[in-house]
Amino acid sequence: RSSDLKGRDPPAALSGGGSMSSLQRQMTSGGPTGPPVSLSVEQARVVLAEVMKAFNSPENTQRMDEARDNACNDMGKMLQFVLPVATQIQQEVIKAYGFSCDGEGVLKFARLIKSYEAQDPEIAAMSAKLKSIFLPPMTVPPHGGSGISAS
């Protein structure tokens, strides 16, 4: 299973060729040996739990609340205000595990977690919780006139 995750990225990062050089430098600064970013299910669970813990810290809760207040439940403004704050909070945690401290690192982490969701219910549950932090609660308007009719 872990061999699936080692596919293309680690050899490209280790070869240092092409546009990966800045990513490689960031990855190698993350640890003494500069391991490629590949987490087992257990490790992914731990990192995800740490990300959740970071979002629940008083300081980050306040940052997210302020961003949500600025966004006023408007999806466009959520992308403008909430997503960058949420991304920064996540980056602070995952950079310690070798992910680059940029949007690409967050995307790689998200893809890795997504790949484990089907096989690990705990990861799936934590991932769903994390998504609910990023996205506003959407209220779906009633369809048809069934809720409006006065009978």
Side-chain angles (χ1 to χ4, degrees), residues 50-103:
E50 283 189 33
V51 168
M52 296 299 296
K53 188 175 163 187
F55 274 102
N56 291 324
S57 78
E59 177 191 336
N60 288 333
T61 300
Q62 182 182 346
R63 288 172 65 196
M64 288 296 289
D65 287 345
E66 287 172 8
R68 280 192 200 95
D69 289 347
N70 287 334
C72 304
N73 259 0
D74 176 287
M75 187 50 85
K77 289 182 179 178
M78 290 297 263
L79 294 173
Q80 184 180 355
F81 295 113
V82 178
L83 194 59
V85 173
T87 300
Q88 285 173 353
I89 293 169
Q90 199 169 336
Q91 284 170 345
E92 288 301 310
V93 175
I94 66 173
K95 71 181 181 184
Y97 294 90
F99 290 91
S100 61
C101 195
D102 59 9

Side-chain angles (χ1 to χ4, degrees), residues 145-151:
S146 60
I148 302 171
S149 63
S151 44

Side-chain angles (χ1 to χ4, degrees), residues 113-142:
I113 295 304
K114 183 84 177 147
S115 73
Y116 283 140
E117 282 178 4
Q119 56 185 295
D120 190 280
E122 194 177 333
I123 287 179
M126 284 192 285
S127 180
K129 254 187 202 171
L130 186 61
K131 285 175 192 156
S132 74
I133 291 171
F134 277 71
L135 300 170
M138 289 285 136
T139 53
V140 180

Side-chain angles (χ1 to χ4, degrees), residues 5-6 9-10 13 23 27 34-39 94 97-100 105 108-109 112:
L5 297 173
K6 293 180 184 174
D9 293 337
L23 176 62
M27 284 173 56
V37 184
S38 174
L39 303 174
I94 66 173
Y97 294 90
F99 290 91
S100 61
K108 281 189 175 194
F109 177 68
L112 181 67

